[in-house]
Amino acid sequence: MNGILAFKLIVTPLLVLICMLITRRWGAFVGGVAAGLPVVSGPLSFFLTLEQGTAFSAHASYNTLLGIDANGLAAVAYPWLAVLGIPWYLAIALSLGIYFLGGWIVQFFPYWPLAAFALSLLSPLLVLVCLPRQDSPEATQPQHTHWWLIAAQMGFGSLLVYVVTEVAHWLGAGWSGVLMFFPVMICAMVPFIHATQGAGAVVRIYRGLMAGWFGCIAFAAIVMAFVERTPLWLCYVLATAAALGASAVVTLVQKRMKAA
């Protein structure tokens, strides 16, 4: 329990800070790739396996794949709301409402792992197609550093992880899996980017997030397939390697397509 509590209260805000610093140094797209990786859902999946068992974890990972589809709806909504001039606090509230609606809908899907995997792969591709087009140049170094706002976002990210995981233990594998892909990093980073760099940066960070989402899909699929069949350390090593490899490949493809 001490290790889990430390992760919820210490590691998560540090990850948020690292992703924000990456965004400031290399821009919204690269920051989005980092934030889209399973930096939150991966450790949470591991701790859930320790607490609830491998069968529960496998079923939760299946629902995580469905949660990616629910999150995809919100990932389309927020950038369009930002481009239309909706302020960040309304945009995040509306997009979260769409996420929870989508999470409720996917609970009615029949249990079909291959279909869930295929739909999860399709989700970030559709998001990329549906994102608004923003051709303004990217500003990698904002004029002002709002450290108080960064600290607030770090605390918010930690609070979100703590609340979601505490509630998820009582909701069963269905909602636990969907909430495993709760947009913690989006809630912690995107409003800050929206407020300080504008709608164009929001679109760019979501493009990066989609590359990271392929890593999350690979991670969840490996856990779903192997957590009951292999030692835990091997399962999560394979899942982590698959997540990093998938995100790297998709990032390179996006970069080459942009250059072309």
Side-chain angles (χ1 to χ4, degrees), residues 5 27 35 145 162 171 179:
L5 186 61
T145 302
Y162 180 79
L171 294 179
L179 292 175

Side-chain angles (χ1 to χ4, degrees), residues 32-125:
V33 175
L37 287 167
V39 293
V40 173
S41 60
L44 289 180
S45 172
F46 178 75
F47 288 126
L48 192 64
T49 303
L50 294 180
E51 290 184 350
Q52 303 294 332
T54 57
F56 186 97
S57 179
H59 195 186
S61 296
Y62 164 78
N63 284 278
T64 298
L65 295 175
L66 298 179
I68 292 172
D69 300 321
N71 217 335
L73 300 174
V76 172
Y78 193 110
W80 276 105
L81 291 170
V83 168
L84 292 174
I86 304 300
W88 67 267
Y89 48 87
L90 290 179
I92 193 65
L94 291 171
S95 61
L96 282 178
I98 293 172
Y99 162 75
F100 280 110
L101 177 62
W104 176 72
I105 292 174
V106 298
Q107 297 293 312
F108 297 97
F109 288 7
Y111 184 77
W112 192 359
L114 288 178
F117 179 65
L119 285 174
S120 66
L121 287 175
L122 186 62
S123 181
L125 294 175

Side-chain angles (χ1 to χ4, degrees), residues 72 75-77 79-80 124-133:
V76 172
W80 276 105
L125 294 175
L126 290 177
V127 172
L128 288 171
V129 171
C130 294
L131 283 176
R133 298 186 181 277

